[in-house]
Each structure stands twice: as C-alpha cells, then as structure tokens.
Amino acid sequence: MKWRVMAVLMAVTLLVLLVQDIPLSTYLRQSEQDRITTSLERDAFLLAGRGEQALESGTTGDYAAITTMARTYQKSGGARVIITDADGTAIFSGDADDTVVGSSYKSRPEIATALTGQIATGTRYSHTLAQSLLYVAVPVLSGTNVYGAVRLTYPESVVANAVNSQLQLLVVAALTSVLLAGIVGYLLSTTITQSLGRLRSVTERIADGSLGDRADTAKGAGELRSLARSFNSMTDRLHTLIDQQRAFAADASHQLRTPLTALRLRLERAEELASVDPAGSAERLAAAQTEVDRLSDIIEGLLRLSRAEAADIPTEVVDVAAVARERVEEWSALAQDSGVRMSYRGPDRAPALAVPTAAQQIIDNYIDNALSVSPEGSLLEVVVTEEGRTVTVAVRDEGPGMRDEELARAFDRFWRAAGQQGDGGSGLGLAIVAQLAAASGGSVALARRESGGTEARVTLPAARATTPRGATGRRDKSDRGEKS
C-alpha cells in the first residue's frame, strides 16, 4: 500500500505538471519570438532613420556613414544587417559569403515587401547559412517616398536556446515537485499503514482469543481513530455476546443436569418395577413426567432469555398506564381465588418507550411473583408514576419480604429464594425481566417496604422526553437476571 500511495501521488503530480507545462512551453516560445521580433523592428527602424538622409542624397560618401553605423551595430551583438537602396541593391551587407555590396536583393520577398513601404516579418531557411532565420525588413521612408530597405536577420536557434533554458528550469521544478509528492506520499502512507498495522495486530490477537485487547484510538488520522473506535465498539459487543453464550451454555448445562439425572433414574426404576410392581412403576413414570415438565420450563425460559439478549430490537411507544390496568384486570380473578385484593393507582396515560411486549411481560412476572407470596386478605397494588423523563411501574405486595442478600441476588440467573427451591420454577423469570428492561433502555429494582412486603419496580424512558432508539440500544453489561 505504501508504494502504491507514493506512485499515485507522483503520477498525479506529474500529470498536472504536464498539462500545465506543455501549453506553457508553447507560450514561452511564442513570447520569446515576439520579443525578439519587436526588438529587431525597433533596431531596424532606428537604422533606417539614421540612414534616411544618406539614401535620399544617393551619394557614395554618405553611404560610408551608414556602413560604419551598421557594422558597429552588428559587432555589438546585434542581428545580421542588409541595407539596400530604392532599387534593392545592397549598399551594406553583413553576410560573409556570396552576398556582397552591389548585389541585388530585390528578388528576396522580404526586401521586395519593404521597398513597397510595408514591414515584413517571419522566418525562413537560409541555404547559405544552413539554418532557419528570423527576419524583419522595414522601408527607409522620407514622407511617402521609399529610398531603400533595412533587413535584420537573427538565428531562430537563439529563440530556441532562450526557451530551452527556461524550460530546463521548469523541468527542474517539475522533478522537484514530483519528488516532494513522493516524499509526502511516503510519509502519509507510512502513517496510514502503521495505524492499519496496529489495528491488524489487535485483530489477530482477538482472533487468537485475546478478547481484552483494544485498538489505540489516540494515534493516526481522524478517520483511522474513528475506525479504531468503531472496531472497539464492535469488539465490546462481540465480547458481550460471547460472554452471554458462555453463560447460557454454562447455565443450561448446570440446570439441565439435575432434572436429566433424576429423569433417567426414575425411568430406570420404572423399568425395573414394570413387571413386579405396576403401581410403583406408574408412580415413577408420573415423577418422570414432572421432571419432563420441569425440563420444558427451564428450556423455554432459557430460550426466552436468549431471544431477549440476542439482538437489539427497536423500541416503540407504549401506554404503560393502559398496560398496567389491563394486567390488573387479567390477574384479578386469580387473585380473588387466593383471597388477595388487587388495585391500580396512577395516571390515565403514561406513554413510555419499550421493546414490543416488554411492559406486559415485566408486569406479569412481577404480579405472578407477588401473588405467590401474598397472604390471604392482603393487598397487591400496581402503581404507575411519571417523573421527568421516566415512567415507573411498581408492584407492591404485603408478603414476608426479602432479606438484603436475597434482594442483591434476585436478578441472577437460576437463583431462587430459600423457600422456592422446590417449587419447580426455572429461576429465569426476573432475569428475563431485567434483560427486557435493559433492551428498552430502562432499569429494574427490588426494595423492601417499610410496612412489610416487597416493591418490584421497572423504570422506562418517557416517550415525551426521548425518541425511539433502534438497533444500537443499551445493554445490561452486568448480565444480572432474576428468577420467579
């Protein structure tokens, strides 16, 4: 990855420079040619102006002044000079070979154009000099009369050399830019690869079973730190799920071992008594059926708990007051059979957020537990209160109450109070209640009442104060549960 990032940055930089410098080189060449042409026109007009009087008089003595001036200009590093009279005959020539004074230049297009009173500029190839020349030819004017022409020629290679020297600077700047882009790409890619390397190392350690490792969220670019935080959140969630699976497997194996052993022993005993004591065999089979029912209750409770823990479920708005009144009405008939009075106290409406059916299941479990310990003639009260951003449901009984250690462990999986050890309960009821409340963003609690009995509470987010949350709801990390 490191070399790919470097190559990409260098390639992009080079492409940008090429797109910029190719038109720039053409512009520089044209600008340099225009500059030299303008300079030659200025020099040609200067020579023409100084030689005007001599050409107008037409005397040989006056030509000497023009010759001296032209020779001085050419020796000073100027262009090659040709000066002709009105007939196109050279009166001065800076050419070294066959172009001599007295030769006719009228056949040269640029000279012919200048003798008509116009300026001629351009480039042409000189067979004499075997190179391309940049030329300027101007007329020698006095009013409207043309008395001769001045032509200056300049090697086109000089223009190319001037442009090339500037292009060399551009090439050096371009190569420096590409090199700097490579260095920046190397440093950038090194930072990225180091952060990704650390993240990969953590991933490999977690894959090897070290679930306590976490990615470093303090180093690297902002995007990589955000990725590390997301990775840590995923790892936390994964760790929680694995712990839940381990706890589920441990709880299931522990709780199923005893009824399975009892069931096997009863079936073996029933088989032994089948031929000699049919009544005893039937009694053992009935006991085995009881163990089967107990197994069924435990398995069903484990499955409900597993479903509650397995995935985040979106919450919905629930009228807790209406649900509480409905559950009181449903349980009233059973309460009357037990000699227990039931009542509801609270507002007409109390909208809260909860996962589907959570409010019904929680209240049902609390009422079921309370009825099992409520003495005849006592009152079982369901109270709904709204406090700021929460809605609380409290189920209050007048039973014997619970000790401090029992209150502390009541939400543990498979835990049952001393008087409930043989009642056949699965010990998962309150654990499921706690998980449903956590999935809804709420909490549960048990407290001893001053007047006697127990108060079981569930607190849920009020719908007026918050919005439903989706699949990222909170989870109860303590993994504590309750049993009925």
mmCIF file with all atom_site columns, all heavy atoms in Angstrom, residues 83 111 261 269 284 296 307 327 329 371 394 414 462:
data_model
loop_
_atom_site.group_PDB
_atom_site.id
_atom_site.type_symbol
_atom_site.label_atom_id
_atom_site.label_alt_id
_atom_site.label_comp_id
_atom_site.label_asym_id
_atom_site.label_entity_id
_atom_site.label_seq_id
_atom_site.pdbx_PDB_ins_code
_atom_site.Cartn_x
_atom_site.Cartn_y
_atom_site.Cartn_z
_atom_site.occupancy
_atom_site.B_iso_or_equiv
_atom_site.pdbx_formal_charge
_atom_site.auth_seq_id
_atom_site.auth_comp_id
_atom_site.auth_asym_id
_atom_site.auth_atom_id
_atom_site.pdbx_PDB_model_num
ATOM 1   N N   . ILE A 1 83  ? 21.389  46.451  -45.938 1.00 0.00 ? 83  ILE A N   1
ATOM 2   C CA  . ILE A 1 83  ? 20.782  47.743  -46.274 1.00 0.00 ? 83  ILE A CA  1
ATOM 3   C C   . ILE A 1 83  ? 20.860  47.897  -47.781 1.00 0.00 ? 83  ILE A C   1
ATOM 4   O O   . ILE A 1 83  ? 21.922  47.721  -48.380 1.00 0.00 ? 83  ILE A O   1
ATOM 5   C CB  . ILE A 1 83  ? 21.507  48.911  -45.579 1.00 0.00 ? 83  ILE A CB  1
ATOM 6   C CG1 . ILE A 1 83  ? 21.474  48.729  -44.052 1.00 0.00 ? 83  ILE A CG1 1
ATOM 7   C CG2 . ILE A 1 83  ? 20.878  50.247  -45.966 1.00 0.00 ? 83  ILE A CG2 1
ATOM 8   C CD1 . ILE A 1 83  ? 22.251  49.818  -43.307 1.00 0.00 ? 83  ILE A CD1 1
ATOM 9   N N   . ILE A 1 111 ? 12.623  41.862  -48.806 1.00 0.00 ? 111 ILE A N   1
ATOM 10  C CA  . ILE A 1 111 ? 13.156  43.135  -49.312 1.00 0.00 ? 111 ILE A CA  1
ATOM 11  C C   . ILE A 1 111 ? 12.145  43.768  -50.255 1.00 0.00 ? 111 ILE A C   1
ATOM 12  O O   . ILE A 1 111 ? 11.894  44.985  -50.195 1.00 0.00 ? 111 ILE A O   1
ATOM 13  C CB  . ILE A 1 111 ? 14.505  42.935  -50.022 1.00 0.00 ? 111 ILE A CB  1
ATOM 14  C CG1 . ILE A 1 111 ? 15.561  42.391  -49.024 1.00 0.00 ? 111 ILE A CG1 1
ATOM 15  C CG2 . ILE A 1 111 ? 14.987  44.232  -50.668 1.00 0.00 ? 111 ILE A CG2 1
ATOM 16  C CD1 . ILE A 1 111 ? 15.910  43.359  -47.939 1.00 0.00 ? 111 ILE A CD1 1
ATOM 17  N N   . THR A 1 261 ? -30.706 -36.135 35.203  1.00 0.00 ? 261 THR A N   1
ATOM 18  C CA  . THR A 1 261 ? -30.278 -37.275 36.031  1.00 0.00 ? 261 THR A CA  1
ATOM 19  C C   . THR A 1 261 ? -31.462 -37.887 36.758  1.00 0.00 ? 261 THR A C   1
ATOM 20  O O   . THR A 1 261 ? -31.632 -39.119 36.799  1.00 0.00 ? 261 THR A O   1
ATOM 21  C CB  . THR A 1 261 ? -29.219 -36.812 37.043  1.00 0.00 ? 261 THR A CB  1
ATOM 22  O OG1 . THR A 1 261 ? -28.103 -36.257 36.337  1.00 0.00 ? 261 THR A OG1 1
ATOM 23  C CG2 . THR A 1 261 ? -28.738 -37.975 37.891  1.00 0.00 ? 261 THR A CG2 1
ATOM 24  N N   . ARG A 1 269 ? -35.865 -46.869 37.210  1.00 0.00 ? 269 ARG A N   1
ATOM 25  C CA  . ARG A 1 269 ? -36.592 -47.526 38.299  1.00 0.00 ? 269 ARG A CA  1
ATOM 26  C C   . ARG A 1 269 ? -37.953 -47.995 37.831  1.00 0.00 ? 269 ARG A C   1
ATOM 27  O O   . ARG A 1 269 ? -38.419 -49.090 38.209  1.00 0.00 ? 269 ARG A O   1
ATOM 28  C CB  . ARG A 1 269 ? -36.740 -46.547 39.465  1.00 0.00 ? 269 ARG A CB  1
ATOM 29  C CG  . ARG A 1 269 ? -37.368 -47.159 40.711  1.00 0.00 ? 269 ARG A CG  1
ATOM 30  C CD  . ARG A 1 269 ? -36.564 -48.339 41.195  1.00 0.00 ? 269 ARG A CD  1
ATOM 31  N NE  . ARG A 1 269 ? -37.119 -48.875 42.428  1.00 0.00 ? 269 ARG A NE  1
ATOM 32  C CZ  . ARG A 1 269 ? -36.864 -50.095 42.897  1.00 0.00 ? 269 ARG A CZ  1
ATOM 33  N NH1 . ARG A 1 269 ? -36.037 -50.917 42.226  1.00 0.00 ? 269 ARG A NH1 1
ATOM 34  N NH2 . ARG A 1 269 ? -37.392 -50.499 44.031  1.00 0.00 ? 269 ARG A NH2 1
ATOM 35  N N   . ARG A 1 284 ? -43.390 -43.892 39.380  1.00 0.00 ? 284 ARG A N   1
ATOM 36  C CA  . ARG A 1 284 ? -42.110 -43.391 38.867  1.00 0.00 ? 284 ARG A CA  1
ATOM 37  C C   . ARG A 1 284 ? -42.302 -42.672 37.527  1.00 0.00 ? 284 ARG A C   1
ATOM 38  O O   . ARG A 1 284 ? -41.646 -41.661 37.247  1.00 0.00 ? 284 ARG A O   1
ATOM 39  C CB  . ARG A 1 284 ? -41.121 -44.549 38.685  1.00 0.00 ? 284 ARG A CB  1
ATOM 40  C CG  . ARG A 1 284 ? -40.774 -45.321 39.949  1.00 0.00 ? 284 ARG A CG  1
ATOM 41  C CD  . ARG A 1 284 ? -40.156 -44.415 41.009  1.00 0.00 ? 284 ARG A CD  1
ATOM 42  N NE  . ARG A 1 284 ? -39.642 -45.154 42.142  1.00 0.00 ? 284 ARG A NE  1
ATOM 43  C CZ  . ARG A 1 284 ? -40.386 -45.623 43.140  1.00 0.00 ? 284 ARG A CZ  1
ATOM 44  N NH1 . ARG A 1 284 ? -41.706 -45.458 43.116  1.00 0.00 ? 284 ARG A NH1 1
ATOM 45  N NH2 . ARG A 1 284 ? -39.830 -46.270 44.160  1.00 0.00 ? 284 ARG A NH2 1
ATOM 46  N N   . SER A 1 296 ? -38.906 -28.771 30.467  1.00 0.00 ? 296 SER A N   1
ATOM 47  C CA  . SER A 1 296 ? -39.563 -27.934 29.466  1.00 0.00 ? 296 SER A CA  1
ATOM 48  C C   . SER A 1 296 ? -39.595 -26.486 29.915  1.00 0.00 ? 296 SER A C   1
ATOM 49  O O   . SER A 1 296 ? -39.334 -25.566 29.131  1.00 0.00 ? 296 SER A O   1
ATOM 50  C CB  . SER A 1 296 ? -40.975 -28.444 29.195  1.00 0.00 ? 296 SER A CB  1
ATOM 51  O OG  . SER A 1 296 ? -41.642 -27.609 28.259  1.00 0.00 ? 296 SER A OG  1
ATOM 52  N N   . ARG A 1 307 ? -33.423 -15.075 23.450  1.00 0.00 ? 307 ARG A N   1
ATOM 53  C CA  . ARG A 1 307 ? -34.010 -14.182 22.451  1.00 0.00 ? 307 ARG A CA  1
ATOM 54  C C   . ARG A 1 307 ? -33.943 -12.731 22.905  1.00 0.00 ? 307 ARG A C   1
ATOM 55  O O   . ARG A 1 307 ? -33.730 -11.823 22.107  1.00 0.00 ? 307 ARG A O   1
ATOM 56  C CB  . ARG A 1 307 ? -35.460 -14.587 22.169  1.00 0.00 ? 307 ARG A CB  1
ATOM 57  C CG  . ARG A 1 307 ? -35.610 -15.821 21.309  1.00 0.00 ? 307 ARG A CG  1
ATOM 58  C CD  . ARG A 1 307 ? -37.033 -15.951 20.797  1.00 0.00 ? 307 ARG A CD  1
ATOM 59  N NE  . ARG A 1 307 ? -37.973 -16.187 21.899  1.00 0.00 ? 307 ARG A NE  1
ATOM 60  C CZ  . ARG A 1 307 ? -38.343 -17.388 22.314  1.00 0.00 ? 307 ARG A CZ  1
ATOM 61  N NH1 . ARG A 1 307 ? -37.830 -18.471 21.750  1.00 0.00 ? 307 ARG A NH1 1
ATOM 62  N NH2 . ARG A 1 307 ? -39.201 -17.510 23.305  1.00 0.00 ? 307 ARG A NH2 1
ATOM 63  N N   . ARG A 1 327 ? -53.386 -5.510  32.854  1.00 0.00 ? 327 ARG A N   1
ATOM 64  C CA  . ARG A 1 327 ? -52.827 -6.677  33.548  1.00 0.00 ? 327 ARG A CA  1
ATOM 65  C C   . ARG A 1 327 ? -53.480 -6.875  34.920  1.00 0.00 ? 327 ARG A C   1
ATOM 66  O O   . ARG A 1 327 ? -53.674 -8.004  35.366  1.00 0.00 ? 327 ARG A O   1
ATOM 67  C CB  . ARG A 1 327 ? -51.310 -6.524  33.724  1.00 0.00 ? 327 ARG A CB  1
ATOM 68  C CG  . ARG A 1 327 ? -50.509 -6.314  32.457  1.00 0.00 ? 327 ARG A CG  1
ATOM 69  C CD  . ARG A 1 327 ? -51.022 -7.053  31.256  1.00 0.00 ? 327 ARG A CD  1
ATOM 70  N NE  . ARG A 1 327 ? -51.003 -8.506  31.439  1.00 0.00 ? 327 ARG A NE  1
ATOM 71  C CZ  . ARG A 1 327 ? -51.740 -9.368  30.745  1.00 0.00 ? 327 ARG A CZ  1
ATOM 72  N NH1 . ARG A 1 327 ? -52.601 -8.926  29.839  1.00 0.00 ? 327 ARG A NH1 1
ATOM 73  N NH2 . ARG A 1 327 ? -51.655 -10.661 30.961  1.00 0.00 ? 327 ARG A NH2 1
ATOM 74  N N   . GLU A 1 329 ? -56.607 -6.199  35.613  1.00 0.00 ? 329 GLU A N   1
ATOM 75  C CA  . GLU A 1 329 ? -57.896 -6.830  35.338  1.00 0.00 ? 329 GLU A CA  1
ATOM 76  C C   . GLU A 1 329 ? -57.729 -8.319  35.022  1.00 0.00 ? 329 GLU A C   1
ATOM 77  O O   . GLU A 1 329 ? -58.524 -9.159  35.467  1.00 0.00 ? 329 GLU A O   1
ATOM 78  C CB  . GLU A 1 329 ? -58.570 -6.113  34.162  1.00 0.00 ? 329 GLU A CB  1
ATOM 79  C CG  . GLU A 1 329 ? -59.005 -4.686  34.478  1.00 0.00 ? 329 GLU A CG  1
ATOM 80  C CD  . GLU A 1 329 ? -59.567 -3.984  33.263  1.00 0.00 ? 329 GLU A CD  1
ATOM 81  O OE1 . GLU A 1 329 ? -59.655 -4.657  32.190  1.00 0.00 ? 329 GLU A OE1 1
ATOM 82  O OE2 . GLU A 1 329 ? -59.913 -2.792  33.347  1.00 0.00 ? 329 GLU A OE2 1
ATOM 83  N N   . LEU A 1 371 ? -48.104 -12.531 43.869  1.00 0.00 ? 371 LEU A N   1
ATOM 84  C CA  . LEU A 1 371 ? -49.221 -13.375 44.281  1.00 0.00 ? 371 LEU A CA  1
ATOM 85  C C   . LEU A 1 371 ? -48.736 -14.641 44.982  1.00 0.00 ? 371 LEU A C   1
ATOM 86  O O   . LEU A 1 371 ? -49.393 -15.155 45.896  1.00 0.00 ? 371 LEU A O   1
ATOM 87  C CB  . LEU A 1 371 ? -50.072 -13.753 43.063  1.00 0.00 ? 371 LEU A CB  1
ATOM 88  C CG  . LEU A 1 371 ? -51.063 -12.693 42.576  1.00 0.00 ? 371 LEU A CG  1
ATOM 89  C CD1 . LEU A 1 371 ? -51.778 -13.183 41.314  1.00 0.00 ? 371 LEU A CD1 1
ATOM 90  C CD2 . LEU A 1 371 ? -52.095 -12.384 43.667  1.00 0.00 ? 371 LEU A CD2 1
ATOM 91  N N   . ALA A 1 394 ? -44.515 0.140   39.671  1.00 0.00 ? 394 ALA A N   1
ATOM 92  C CA  . ALA A 1 394 ? -44.156 -0.540  40.919  1.00 0.00 ? 394 ALA A CA  1
ATOM 93  C C   . ALA A 1 394 ? -45.261 -1.523  41.304  1.00 0.00 ? 394 ALA A C   1
ATOM 94  O O   . ALA A 1 394 ? -46.443 -1.162  41.307  1.00 0.00 ? 394 ALA A O   1
ATOM 95  C CB  . ALA A 1 394 ? -43.925 0.469   42.036  1.00 0.00 ? 394 ALA A CB  1
ATOM 96  N N   . PHE A 1 414 ? -31.159 -18.302 37.438  1.00 0.00 ? 414 PHE A N   1
ATOM 97  C CA  . PHE A 1 414 ? -31.380 -19.574 38.141  1.00 0.00 ? 414 PHE A CA  1
ATOM 98  C C   . PHE A 1 414 ? -31.337 -19.435 39.671  1.00 0.00 ? 414 PHE A C   1
ATOM 99  O O   . PHE A 1 414 ? -31.286 -20.445 40.361  1.00 0.00 ? 414 PHE A O   1
ATOM 100 C CB  . PHE A 1 414 ? -30.371 -20.652 37.692  1.00 0.00 ? 414 PHE A CB  1
ATOM 101 C CG  . PHE A 1 414 ? -30.486 -20.987 36.244  1.00 0.00 ? 414 PHE A CG  1
ATOM 102 C CD1 . PHE A 1 414 ? -29.499 -20.576 35.341  1.00 0.00 ? 414 PHE A CD1 1
ATOM 103 C CD2 . PHE A 1 414 ? -31.562 -21.693 35.756  1.00 0.00 ? 414 PHE A CD2 1
ATOM 104 C CE1 . PHE A 1 414 ? -29.602 -20.871 34.003  1.00 0.00 ? 414 PHE A CE1 1
ATOM 105 C CE2 . PHE A 1 414 ? -31.671 -21.992 34.410  1.00 0.00 ? 414 PHE A CE2 1
ATOM 106 C CZ  . PHE A 1 414 ? -30.691 -21.586 33.528  1.00 0.00 ? 414 PHE A CZ  1
ATOM 107 N N   . ALA A 1 462 ? -39.494 7.916   29.266  1.00 0.00 ? 462 ALA A N   1
ATOM 108 C CA  . ALA A 1 462 ? -40.770 8.512   28.874  1.00 0.00 ? 462 ALA A CA  1
ATOM 109 C C   . ALA A 1 462 ? -40.744 8.862   27.393  1.00 0.00 ? 462 ALA A C   1
ATOM 110 O O   . ALA A 1 462 ? -39.730 9.340   26.874  1.00 0.00 ? 462 ALA A O   1
ATOM 111 C CB  . ALA A 1 462 ? -41.058 9.756   29.708  1.00 0.00 ? 462 ALA A CB  1
#
